[in-house]
Amino acid sequence: MVEVTVTPQSSLADRPVQIQVRGLSPSQLVTLRAWLKDEQGECFQSRAFFRADGAGEVDPGLHAALGGSYSGVWPMGLLWFLQPDTLFRRLVKRDVAGSPFRVRLEVFDGVCLGADPREQPLASCEAERWYVGPGVQRVPVREGRVRGALFLPP
């Protein structure tokens, strides 16, 4: 049974995570896809093609991506190379304290170039990427023409 995991499953957006796929056939060619919807409902996604090792595992931190949104060994590549489906959109988090970005990770058999809704992933999981840690207090700043926010640690 194929399984994809993200460790830790919930983390701050600037912290590294480990992505692993297990249960593949040795040397199996797979596509790893990451995608999320921003607060306006815009979809951002990335994909990378990998060949499983002799144990039937893929780890983007150890194995080089053969192509896709990037190539080479990039442990966080699937998260760093997210691109909008609509040109000229930017991934911006406005509500930094209220909710995380929920990134969906999926594994497909072979090279998967499009988002064919009929194609079922071999496995999937979800990761939460928070922009403010637990207990951090957000204080609005309004002084003269200065506007901003001060984030105070717990």
Side-chain angles (χ1 to χ4, degrees), residues 5-8 16-20 22 59-62 75-76 105:
T5 58
V6 178
T7 308
V17 295
Q18 183 178 26
I19 300 168
Q20 290 185 309
R22 293 185 179 96
D59 182 340
L62 299 174
M76 299 286 293
L105 291 157

Side-chain angles (χ1 to χ4, degrees), residues 136-149:
V136 172
Q137 181 183 6
R138 182 181 189 274
V139 179
V141 175
R142 292 179 155 275
E143 187 66 38
R145 295 184 334 194
V146 176
R147 301 290 183 267

Side-chain angles (χ1 to χ4, degrees), residues 65-125:
L66 305 174
S69 302
Y70 67 95
S71 60
V73 178
W74 291 82
M76 299 286 293
L78 288 166
L79 301 176
W80 288 344
F81 291 97
L82 288 166
Q83 294 293 315
D85 283 356
T86 305
L87 291 176
F88 308 113
R89 297 288 183 160
R90 289 186 9 190
L91 184 59
V92 176
K93 183 73 171 137
R94 301 220 184 272
D95 179 17
V96 295
S99 64
F101 272 140
R102 296 185 196 292
V103 182
R104 189 94 180 141
L105 291 157
E106 300 171 328
V107 181
F108 294 92
D109 187 28
V111 174
C112 177
L113 297 173
D116 186 354
R118 296 170 296 174
E119 197 160 350
Q120 292 295 317
L122 299 173
S124 63
C125 71

Side-chain angles (χ1 to χ4, degrees), residues 126-137:
E126 191 172 84
E128 292 181 346
R129 303 292 282 168
W130 290 88
Y131 282 78
V132 175
V136 172
Q137 181 183 6

